[in-house]
Amino acid sequence: MSSITKRHVPTSQLLGEYLTFVPTPQQVDHFKADMRTLNPTLLRDSIREGVQVQALQQIPIPEQRLVIHRIYTRKVKEFSSIYPFVFAVENALRSVLADYLEERFGRMEWWTLIRNARQNGQTYTAFPTSSVRPSIQPS
């Protein structure tokens, strides 16, 4: 069976592949701070990209962390540029779904029917799969 999920590689391991030197205790502290404060996925992707860049050009030791940060900043800017589109799509989907569920359950507060059913021990089978209103009565 194939998997579409990425194999998780710890950030520290990727950092070890990227750095061409043994960091000092102070440098280790800086990298640990980066790992605690930066988005882990973007940081890992930035380090991976840094490994590829380093294969093409020799990066001086003092600049290696800065290169990772430049790549990270570029990635944040790229994600920021698509945020308005993602925000609009998400809002549109939520709106369509809310309208559909309001029509399906016959009330704006459709989630209360589900919450009440779950509290009463009912499962998803209490809700019909057809377009008929659910068998659970409003409280």
Side-chain angles (χ1 to χ4, degrees):
M1 178 195 303
S2 67
S3 172
I4 60 171
T5 59
K6 291 183 179 180
R7 182 178 74 86
H8 175 73
V9 177
T11 304
S12 55
Q13 181 181 336
L14 286 171
L15 197 53
E17 293 174 15
Y18 172 75
L19 297 177
T20 60
F21 65 97
V22 177
T24 65
Q26 183 181 16
Q27 290 168 324
V28 169
D29 291 341
H30 288 300
F31 284 118
K32 282 184 179 179
D34 291 344
M35 287 185 254
R36 284 192 307 271
T37 56
L38 301 177
N39 178 287
T41 303
L42 284 180
L43 180 58
R44 281 194 304 268
D45 290 348
S46 299
I47 294 170
R48 283 186 177 126
E49 189 173 321
V51 170
Q52 293 171 356
V53 167
Q54 192 149 298
L56 298 175
Q57 61 188 21
Q58 194 62 12
I59 299 171
I61 289 172
E63 292 183 27
Q64 290 187 12
R65 182 169 172 257
L66 294 174
V67 169
I68 292 172
H69 278 265
R70 281 188 207 115
I71 295 169
Y72 181 90
T73 301
R74 189 197 78 236
K75 289 183 175 299
V76 168
K77 287 179 181 178
E78 289 169 357
F79 279 111
S80 297
S81 69
I82 65 168
Y83 179 78
F85 173 75
V86 172
F87 180 77
V89 169
E90 179 188 10
N91 279 331
L93 288 173
R94 285 176 186 262
S95 181
V96 168
L97 182 60
D99 289 345
Y100 169 79
L101 292 171
E102 178 182 349
E103 182 180 320
R104 170 100 171 152
F105 288 96
R107 63 191 293 182
M108 285 183 67
E109 304 84 14
W110 54 267
W111 61 88
T112 59
L113 294 174
I114 297 170
R115 180 199 62 207
N116 295 345
R118 296 293 296 154
Q119 288 174 345
N120 293 327
Q122 292 177 301
T123 67
Y124 70 93
T125 58
F127 299 93
T129 56
S130 68
S131 61
V132 180
R133 288 205 171 119
S135 60
I136 297 175
Q137 298 302 314
S139 57

